[in-house]
Amino acid sequence: MDAKICAALLSRLRETRPLVHHITNTVTINDCANITICAGAAPVMAEAAEESAEMVAAAGALVLNIGTLNPAQVESMLLAGKRANELGVPVVLDPVGAGATALRTEAVLRILREVKVAVLKGNAGEIGVLAGMGGKVRGVDSCGLAGDPVETAKACALATGTVVAMTDETDVVTDGNRVVLVGNGHVMMDRLSGTGCMASSVVGSFVAVADDPLVGAAAALVAFGRAGEHAAACARGPYSFRTALFDELYRLTPEDLEEEARLEVV
Ligand SMILES: Nc1ncnc2c1ncn2[C@@H]1O[C@H](COP(=O)(O)OP(=O)(O)OP(=O)(O)O)[C@@H](O)[C@H]1O
Ligand SMILES: Cc1ncsc1CCO
Ligand SMILES: [Mg+2]
């Protein structure tokens, strides 16, 4: 895993433009659609139980995000997720707000039991809760971890059988054995609602073209983080940053990633 691989995956993503099927929240659904396009993929949002399994057959990845979950939506997620597993379509799960309410925590645990999830992408608090290692979540925000971030992410990966992508100032991507730390990103990304959801869409886009979900997830967070760094350089505040974040991901080249990726394999 190195900068060259990130660059090669971005090239492959732009050449193949995979469909990324989302079942996601109503707060950031439009941001997720557009950040997927800026990454180089094509989004579709389809959540009715009558079509969610059918739609996934055309997709390169499925992104499940429980940000504004309700029981019917969770059933659609399970139908789509099981069909994705049958077809070999990788599933990305964003456990938004897990730990904040029992409904959220239980929905995530049920999806993890019934669907083989390739990448579990959450903030530090959410991953800490799912690892059973003392994360704290208020609303959809991380209130931090009790222990070491790398050990927490590894424990979560081993407990859930997924690649965990835990976002923070330094992102930790791990399958429980291999660990990649991603340094790209900017604190402005934490001044805007939905950058975590968008990160999941970008992870879905990269995982659709990657042979290894760990490599795909790490490359996605490098690319999204690097776009955030470029965007912060010209932003006046959160909303001009938001516009710039889309533009800078769209403008990001494989050469940028080769030169500017900050990742460490530990
Ligand atoms: N302090 C920071 N410095 C650099 N990058 C950051 C920082 N905080 C977050 N990021 C980046 O922002 C993106 C979103 O991560 P974050 O952990 O804030 O998600 P989240 O809290 O789940 O987001 P949301 O609930 O608003 O959708 C990731 O790509 C992460 O790397
Ligand atoms: C603010 C918010 N509430 C539910 S989902 C969401 C978007 C960021 O996670
Ligand atoms: Mg945040």
Side-chain angles (χ1 to χ4, degrees), residues 123 140-142 167 189-192 195-196:
N123 64 34
V140 296
D141 296 328
S142 171
T167 55
M189 298 171 88
D190 196 35
R191 302 287 177 268
L192 194 64
T195 50

mmCIF file of all heavy atoms in Angstrom, residues 123 140-142 167 189-192 195-196, ligand 3:
data_model
loop_
_atom_site.group_PDB
_atom_site.id
_atom_site.type_symbol
_atom_site.label_atom_id
_atom_site.label_comp_id
_atom_site.label_asym_id
_atom_site.label_seq_id
_atom_site.Cartn_x
_atom_site.Cartn_y
_atom_site.Cartn_z
ATOM 1 N N ASN A 123 -16.797 7.202 12.688
ATOM 2 C CA ASN A 123 -15.906 8.091 13.435
ATOM 3 C C ASN A 123 -15.406 7.357 14.684
ATOM 4 O O ASN A 123 -15.815 6.227 14.972
ATOM 5 C CB ASN A 123 -16.576 9.450 13.723
ATOM 6 C CG ASN A 123 -17.793 9.356 14.628
ATOM 7 O OD1 ASN A 123 -17.856 8.517 15.526
ATOM 8 N ND2 ASN A 123 -18.770 10.227 14.393
ATOM 9 N N VAL A 140 -24.726 12.549 16.369
ATOM 10 C CA VAL A 140 -23.907 11.836 15.379
ATOM 11 C C VAL A 140 -22.417 12.146 15.568
ATOM 12 O O VAL A 140 -21.603 11.763 14.738
ATOM 13 C CB VAL A 140 -24.340 12.187 13.934
ATOM 14 C CG1 VAL A 140 -25.761 11.721 13.673
ATOM 15 C CG2 VAL A 140 -24.206 13.684 13.652
ATOM 16 N N ASP A 141 -22.091 12.825 16.668
ATOM 17 C CA ASP A 141 -20.702 13.269 16.849
ATOM 18 C C ASP A 141 -19.917 12.351 17.773
ATOM 19 O O ASP A 141 -20.426 11.914 18.812
ATOM 20 C CB ASP A 141 -20.666 14.685 17.440
ATOM 21 C CG ASP A 141 -21.271 15.705 16.502
ATOM 22 O OD1 ASP A 141 -21.161 15.519 15.278
ATOM 23 O OD2 ASP A 141 -21.868 16.683 17.000
ATOM 24 N N SER A 142 -18.668 12.127 17.392
ATOM 25 C CA SER A 142 -17.760 11.387 18.264
ATOM 26 C C SER A 142 -17.389 12.242 19.459
ATOM 27 O O SER A 142 -17.052 13.416 19.314
ATOM 28 C CB SER A 142 -16.483 11.036 17.489
ATOM 29 O OG SER A 142 -15.529 10.501 18.381
ATOM 30 N N THR A 167 -12.366 7.286 11.069
ATOM 31 C CA THR A 167 -11.928 8.625 10.676
ATOM 32 C C THR A 167 -11.655 9.499 11.889
ATOM 33 O O THR A 167 -12.333 9.415 12.909
ATOM 34 C CB THR A 167 -13.000 9.318 9.809
ATOM 35 O OG1 THR A 167 -14.241 9.313 10.520
ATOM 36 C CG2 THR A 167 -13.153 8.619 8.473
ATOM 37 N N MET A 189 -12.775 19.885 7.768
ATOM 38 C CA MET A 189 -13.691 18.773 7.444
ATOM 39 C C MET A 189 -14.574 18.424 8.636
ATOM 40 O O MET A 189 -15.618 17.802 8.478
ATOM 41 C CB MET A 189 -12.898 17.553 6.973
ATOM 42 C CG MET A 189 -12.122 17.837 5.694
ATOM 43 S SD MET A 189 -10.988 16.532 5.249
ATOM 44 C CE MET A 189 -12.042 15.469 4.267
ATOM 45 N N ASP A 190 -14.150 18.821 9.811
ATOM 46 C CA ASP A 190 -14.926 18.579 11.027
ATOM 47 C C ASP A 190 -15.821 19.772 11.367
ATOM 48 O O ASP A 190 -16.496 19.770 12.381
ATOM 49 C CB ASP A 190 -13.958 18.271 12.181
ATOM 50 C CG ASP A 190 -14.657 17.647 13.364
ATOM 51 O OD1 ASP A 190 -15.612 16.870 13.153
ATOM 52 O OD2 ASP A 190 -14.266 17.953 14.514
ATOM 53 N N ARG A 191 -15.856 20.788 10.510
ATOM 54 C CA ARG A 191 -16.677 21.983 10.756
ATOM 55 C C ARG A 191 -17.922 21.980 9.876
ATOM 56 O O ARG A 191 -18.575 23.000 9.712
ATOM 57 C CB ARG A 191 -15.852 23.254 10.484
ATOM 58 C CG ARG A 191 -14.600 23.380 11.311
ATOM 59 C CD ARG A 191 -14.930 23.734 12.779
ATOM 60 N NE ARG A 191 -13.715 23.788 13.580
ATOM 61 C CZ ARG A 191 -13.221 22.752 14.260
ATOM 62 N NH1 ARG A 191 -13.833 21.581 14.232
ATOM 63 N NH2 ARG A 191 -12.124 22.883 14.971
ATOM 64 N N LEU A 192 -18.201 20.822 9.288
ATOM 65 C CA LEU A 192 -19.259 20.699 8.284
ATOM 66 C C LEU A 192 -19.970 19.376 8.529
ATOM 67 O O LEU A 192 -19.309 18.355 8.699
ATOM 68 C CB LEU A 192 -18.548 20.673 6.931
ATOM 69 C CG LEU A 192 -19.344 20.869 5.670
ATOM 70 C CD1 LEU A 192 -19.952 22.265 5.648
ATOM 71 C CD2 LEU A 192 -18.411 20.707 4.471
ATOM 72 N N THR A 195 -19.328 15.288 6.250
ATOM 73 C CA THR A 195 -18.072 14.856 5.633
ATOM 74 C C THR A 195 -17.829 13.369 5.903
ATOM 75 O O THR A 195 -17.217 12.684 5.082
ATOM 76 C CB THR A 195 -16.867 15.684 6.107
ATOM 77 O OG1 THR A 195 -16.891 15.739 7.526
ATOM 78 C CG2 THR A 195 -16.907 17.081 5.525
ATOM 79 N N GLY A 196 -18.346 12.875 7.026
ATOM 80 C CA GLY A 196 -18.228 11.432 7.289
ATOM 81 C C GLY A 196 -19.059 10.632 6.293
ATOM 82 O O GLY A 196 -18.606 9.611 5.766
HETATM 83 MG MG MG B 3 -16.853 14.998 12.475
#
